Amino acid sequence: MTRSDSPARDHHSLPDEIPEPRHIALSDLSQALTLGWRDFRRAPVFGLVFSAFYVLGGWALASVALASGQDWWLIPFILGFPLIAPFAATGLYEVSRRIEAGEPLDTARILRVVFEQRQRQIPSMAMVILLLFMFWVFVAHTVFALFMGVSALTNITSSPEVLLQGRGLVMLVLGTIIGGGFAVVLFTFTVVGLPLLMEREVDFITAIITSCRAVAENPGVMAVWAAMIAIWLFLAILPGFLGLLVVLPVLGHASWHVYRRVMAD
């Protein structure tokens, strides 16, 4: 039983049955990306609107960091952005679901479905994502302080080459490894967990467990998918966050199709 186009059921509804995760191949990723690009071209306005919130958020963070003279803070935020990016795809899942099902792309209905998630399990998953992201920022700041010392905070903006030598280089390597660990955990929780919560009536703990099982069933393919997401998001951030206007919706739509291949009925 899957979620229909009707209003979200109340929290007393019985949970849906969950199919067993399937094994997929690298070719499925290629097909999912093709379909993701198709969905974006079919309904570009939705992708641009949903991703615009993240572009504006990136600009706001950059403005605050630059205005306060602490632009070094942009490093952990940029490296940690892939941690929160999956949540941006929730609205795009509904668009792809409608295209897949041949349902009309009614703006009011799509926004209603997204808005109704506040009464379901998506907010709980959002808290998990937010807490992991904030913990990553705290850990990144701690690593920076341990390796560079407080005195480096006033020099990093005028002498960025400090990061590419001695302790700075070690700090970047260690921070990248730690950040990668956070990203792997959150990817494992959300790659199937988030679209599952959108499509079916399940609790977020069950969604996380199911997502972990799906990754365990496809470790190699999921590792490639996670690397592709991280690299493309990082590259999309570099041109003033503007690349997210295209990359984020395409990856969001493609993530739905990856989910549908792993959790097909």
Side-chain angles (χ1 to χ4, degrees), residues 48-49 51-68 70-71 73-74 77-78 81 84 236-246:
L48 293 174
V49 169
S51 59
F53 285 102
Y54 282 76
V55 174
L56 294 174
W59 287 350
L61 288 174
S63 299
V64 171
L66 293 173
S68 62
Q70 301 295 322
D71 44 337
W73 262 105
L74 289 175
F77 275 112
I78 289 176
F81 190 85
I84 60 173
I237 290 171
L238 295 182
F241 296 90
L242 292 175
L244 295 175
L245 291 173
V246 175

Side-chain angles (χ1 to χ4, degrees), residues 28-212:
D28 289 296
L29 298 183
S30 177
Q31 294 171 12
L33 285 169
T34 300
L35 292 174
W37 175 246
R38 179 208 64 181
D39 292 353
F40 176 59
R41 293 181 61 189
R42 173 81 178 274
V45 174
F46 292 105
L48 293 174
V49 169
F50 287 127
S51 59
F53 285 102
Y54 282 76
V55 174
L56 294 174
W59 287 350
L61 288 174
S63 299
V64 171
L66 293 173
S68 62
Q70 301 295 322
D71 44 337
W72 59 272
W73 262 105
L74 289 175
I75 297 175
F77 275 112
I78 289 176
L79 294 178
F81 190 85
L83 299 181
I84 60 173
F87 190 66
T90 52
L92 301 172
Y93 296 153
E94 177 63 14
V95 175
S96 288
R97 186 193 71 80
R98 285 175 171 273
I99 293 175
E100 183 181 51
E103 297 177 5
L105 295 176
D106 186 287
T107 302
R109 291 185 177 184
I110 291 174
L111 293 179
R112 183 187 68 183
V113 169
V114 174
F115 185 68
E116 285 171 349
Q117 299 309 310
R118 76 192 191 283
Q119 300 175 348
R120 302 177 72 229
Q121 292 290 300
I122 291 290
S124 298
M125 183 69 86
M127 287 303 300
V128 173
I129 295 173
L130 181 61
L131 288 174
L132 279 173
F133 177 71
M134 295 308 297
F135 188 54
W136 151 246
V137 172
F138 169 76
V139 170
H141 184 270
T142 302
V143 171
F144 188 98
L146 287 175
F147 279 88
M148 305 304 294
V150 178
S151 61
L153 300 184
T154 58
N155 301 325
I156 193 66
T157 57
S158 59
S159 303
E161 64 274 7
V162 171
L163 295 175
L164 301 177
Q165 57 187 3
R167 292 184 177 183
L169 189 58
V170 175
M171 180 205 65
L172 286 179
V173 173
L174 180 60
T176 301
I177 294 174
I178 296 175
F182 278 98
V184 167
V185 171
L186 199 50
F187 172 84
T188 303
F189 286 178
T190 60
V191 63
V192 165
L194 272 176
L196 181 64
L197 290 176
M198 285 288 295
E199 187 190 31
R200 297 173 183 266
E201 197 69 29
V202 297
D203 63 272
F204 79 101
I205 297 297
T206 300
I208 289 175
I209 293 173
T210 303
S211 191
C212 292

